[in-house]
Amino acid sequence: MARTRRLTRTTLASAVGSALEWYDFSLYGTAAALVLPKVFFPGDGATAGTLASLATFAVGFFARPVGGIVIGLLGDRFGRRQMLFVTLLLMAASSVLIGCLPSYGQVGVAAPALLVVLRVFQGLGAGGEYAGAMLLSAEHAEKGSRGFHASIPSVGNAFGSVIATGIFFLFQQTLSEHAFLAWGWRVPFLLSVVLAAAGYLIRRKVEDSPEFTAAVRTKGVVRGRFPEMLRLSGRRVPFAMLMSIAPNVLTYLPSVYALTYLSKTVGVSGWIGLVGIIIANMIKFVTIPTAGRLADRIGGRRVMIIGSVAGAILLYPFFAMLDTGTPVVVWAALVMIFTLCCDMTLASQAAMLSGLFDVRVRYTAVTFSREITGAVVGGTIPFVAAALTSAGDGRPWLVCVCCGVLCALGVIGTAFLPEDRRSADTAPAALVA
């Protein structure tokens, strides 16, 4: 009973922190597609302003590997729990300050410059948050249920996205356009402090990972942490990086670029896409844990390959459904890609990453392999998709080809990975302090 309570508390703490991470990133992605071009890049023209705004979205992703590696190294030295307080502070402070920024009309080019700086700090915190939350939850769980528990932080992601999109939608619909652009868009950013406070209060009562603590107690920490992480992890790191491609494509293409596509190319009202994102994320409360259970039953590798292949095949139907502009059809398209296909890849990614690496370098290995792919693929997908749509005269076929190839690369990487690291705690004695 005590173990069950501890596991439940740990899983909840992991999910709340991830909810803040995704609240911030989802909120920024939505704002980057619909608001920030008008507030921070008003003189660049519609297309150039959108591209510039989506480029700032990408900046946060390029900061994530740096934050992930630094926080991962510290987390493998001092434990997962302590680092998760650092990530909460970085993300919440950055989001609140974004909500306080002056507009381009008030201070000129200083406004987008400050936006980029805060986006970098937001990325630094987010780079270590999800991996730490996932590992804290997985390493408290028994081996047969690791896929399920490792997937729960992704449910927190969905919860944060629902709140962010819902609040953004509420202010957009209840305020005049002038009021919304003047101050209404800022309120959701300021409210991130509430989730941060909740995460702090819950995480105070959580113990650190028993698996990590036991490994350090018996064998010590790994000396020369980053180089030895690469040596201990072998070829798993590059293949894990490839495996992480599909979750990024199937997350950020529908959740960020689809909003731009619906608004700029299809020409429908912004509320249609926002409601679709809310619906898709609410369904994730069921589909992500289900996919995690499926990964425990048949293996994360199989679930990842199924989700990646299905996502690649359904990309063209996805855009065809968006082109109708019909709300119900658009919502079905978002559920098809952003929920069903994406959730299989997210849950299996968490299940596999939590068991691939030596426990004493696992935080660093997971953040390195996951966040670099997130920067290269996830951070640039909205920008690249917008450019490819423009190059295709407004048609998305180039986007479908590009993203289909990326998903195929993810399948190749997954195929070369084992289901689990059977000798997770083995390491040469000379490597430990």
Side-chain angles (χ1 to χ4, degrees):
M1 182 65 69
R3 175 181 173 83
T4 300
R5 285 198 301 268
R6 184 174 70 250
L7 181 57
T8 301
R9 187 186 303 120
T10 303
T11 303
L12 177 61
S14 300
V16 170
S18 295
L20 173 63
E21 176 197 5
W22 210 250
Y23 176 89
D24 291 339
F25 260 67
S26 177
L27 183 62
Y28 194 96
T30 302
L34 301 178
V35 174
L36 300 186
K38 301 174 183 178
V39 176
F40 291 97
F41 309 97
D44 297 332
T47 300
T50 297
L51 290 174
S53 180
L54 293 177
T56 66
F57 178 77
V59 165
F61 278 84
F62 286 108
R64 288 180 68 146
V66 178
I69 292 170
V70 172
I71 292 171
L73 288 169
L74 293 172
D76 281 329
R77 180 105 181 151
F78 301 108
R80 284 74 165 113
R81 178 177 177 270
Q82 288 86 339
M83 293 305 103
L84 292 179
F85 288 114
V86 174
T87 60
L88 277 177
L89 177 62
L90 277 174
M91 290 188 300
S94 301
S95 292
V96 169
L97 290 174
I98 288 174
C100 297
L101 281 179
S103 68
Y104 183 92
Q106 293 172 313
V107 297
V109 294
L114 290 170
L115 179 66
V116 169
V117 171
L118 292 176
R119 179 65 174 159
V120 167
F121 279 103
Q122 193 181 57
L124 291 174
E129 168 60 38
Y130 178 81
M134 177 190 73
L135 292 179
L136 191 66
S137 184
E139 290 172 357
H140 273 82
E142 296 180 356
K143 194 165 187 179
S145 63
R146 276 197 168 190
F148 171 76
H149 288 284
S151 72
I152 296 302
S154 292
V155 178
N157 290 354
F159 180 70
S161 183
V162 167
I163 296 174
T165 309
I167 293 175
F168 194 92
F169 173 74
L170 176 65
F171 279 86
Q172 185 189 46
Q173 294 300 306
T174 56
L175 297 175
S176 67
E177 182 177 6
H178 175 75
F180 183 67
L181 292 177
W183 61 269
W185 68 271
R186 301 175 183 275
V187 177
F189 283 93
L190 299 176
L191 290 176
S192 64
V193 71
V194 177
L195 275 176
Y200 172 77
L201 291 174
I202 294 174
R203 283 181 174 176
R204 280 196 314 167
K205 302 179 180 180
V206 174
E207 299 175 5
D208 212 335
S209 160
E211 183 181 357
F212 171 78
T213 302
V216 170
R217 184 173 59 250
T218 57
K219 297 188 177 183
V221 296
V222 174
R223 184 176 300 169
R225 292 167 295 275
F226 186 74
E228 295 305 334
M229 179 279 290
L230 293 175
R231 200 165 89 82
L232 285 173
S233 302
R235 66 184 179 89
R236 287 184 170 90
V237 169
F239 287 126
M241 292 170 70
L242 287 175
M243 177 192 70
S244 298
I245 291 176
N248 279 279
V249 171
L250 300 177
T251 295
Y252 298 108
L253 185 73
S255 67
V256 178
Y257 177 66
L259 298 179
T260 299
Y261 184 82
L262 286 167
S263 176
K264 303 296 184 182
T265 303
V266 181
V268 299
S269 177
W271 71 268
I272 295 178
L274 291 177
V275 171
I277 295 296
I278 293 173
I279 293 171
N281 274 299
M282 291 182 70
I283 298 174
K284 285 176 179 286
F285 298 164
V286 175
T287 53
I288 289 176
T290 300
R293 288 289 190 195
L294 187 62
D296 285 328
R297 182 175 292 272
I298 69 172
R301 183 167 56 187
R302 290 181 182 177
V303 178
M304 173 65 78
I305 291 174
I306 293 170
S308 301
V309 171
I313 292 173
L314 294 173
L315 282 171
Y316 192 82
F318 169 72
F319 279 102
M321 294 168 74
L322 295 185
D323 285 337
T324 66
T326 304
V328 174
V329 178
V330 170
W331 300 339
L334 290 170
V335 169
M336 178 178 70
I337 292 292
F338 186 43
T339 302
L340 301 180
C341 297
C342 178
D343 291 354
M344 283 191 284
T345 65
L346 284 176
S348 54
Q349 180 195 44
M352 293 185 70
L353 288 179
S354 64
L356 279 176
F357 307 108
D358 185 296
V359 65
R360 291 163 302 145
V361 296
R362 187 178 290 160
Y363 203 155
T364 309
V366 170
T367 54
F368 182 78
S369 56
R370 182 180 183 272
E371 298 303 336
I372 287 183
T373 301
V376 175
V377 179
T380 61
I381 274 291
F383 180 88
V384 170
L388 289 176
T389 301
S390 179
D393 294 325
R395 306 310 304 160
W397 66 274
L398 287 174
V399 180
C400 297
V401 171
C402 175
C403 292
V405 171
L406 289 174
C407 288
L409 289 175
V411 170
I412 293 171
T414 304
F416 281 94
L417 284 172
E419 281 294 347
D420 201 348
R421 183 182 175 90
R422 300 303 178 188
S423 55
D425 296 326
T426 60
L431 298 178
V432 297

